[in-house]
Amino acid sequence: MTRRGRLSEAGLDARLSSSSNQRSATSSGGPVRTCVGCRSADLRSVLLRTVVQTDGAGRPVLVVDVDRRLPGRGAWLHPDPRCLELAERRRAFPRALRTAGPLDVQPVQAHLEAAGHHQLPGPSPEA
């Protein structure tokens, strides 16, 4: 066997063991979703689900799905103002929700503030 073949097998073994570890962690802890802000995976129970609904004028509006049961495609977010800021800066909500045009994150920000998650002091996102 060549050196290259041994390295490939070792790499494959490492990937298989890490994926089996990930499966065992997710099966015991519950469903896992990825935060659209920081892009890290976490338990579904820890993240907020957001969906797009239409307002009275037919415009798309981003809303927090508190019960996680609203119809439609959802985007998941840590209840952290920093993750919301990252998601807004990266324009992650329209992409994750497959919606054309920008979405106003004010309803999500209001939900975070009402839940006691306040914006951290520091430079503004526009800077």
Side-chain angles (χ1 to χ4, degrees):
M1 183 180 298
T2 66
R3 176 183 158 98
R4 186 174 188 189
R6 274 185 255 136
L7 290 175
S8 297
E9 287 176 13
L12 180 60
D13 290 341
R15 281 182 289 193
L16 290 176
S17 66
S18 68
S19 65
S20 65
N21 288 341
Q22 185 179 6
R23 264 186 260 125
S24 66
T26 59
S27 64
S28 64
V32 174
R33 301 291 184 263
T34 302
C35 173
V36 295
C38 65
R39 303 293 301 152
S40 65
D42 211 336
L43 293 174
R44 177 181 175 241
S45 59
V46 174
L47 300 170
L48 291 176
R49 181 175 188 257
T50 60
V51 295
V52 172
Q53 292 185 330
T54 55
D55 63 2
R59 293 179 300 234
V61 177
L62 185 67
V63 296
V64 176
D65 182 8
V66 178
D67 295 327
R68 298 180 179 103
R69 299 200 186 279
L70 290 175
R73 186 172 184 84
W76 297 84
L77 181 76
H78 281 110
D80 183 342
R82 291 174 292 193
C83 286
L84 178 61
E85 180 185 332
L86 283 171
E88 186 176 18
R89 190 174 351 141
R90 294 176 179 163
R91 299 183 193 120
F93 286 112
R95 206 172 31 250
L97 298 167
R98 297 181 182 168
T99 304
L103 292 169
D104 183 20
V105 298
Q106 183 59 37
V108 180
Q109 191 170 19
H111 177 84
L112 291 178
E113 289 173 3
H117 302 284
H118 300 288
Q119 185 70 29
L120 298 172
S124 65
E126 294 85 27

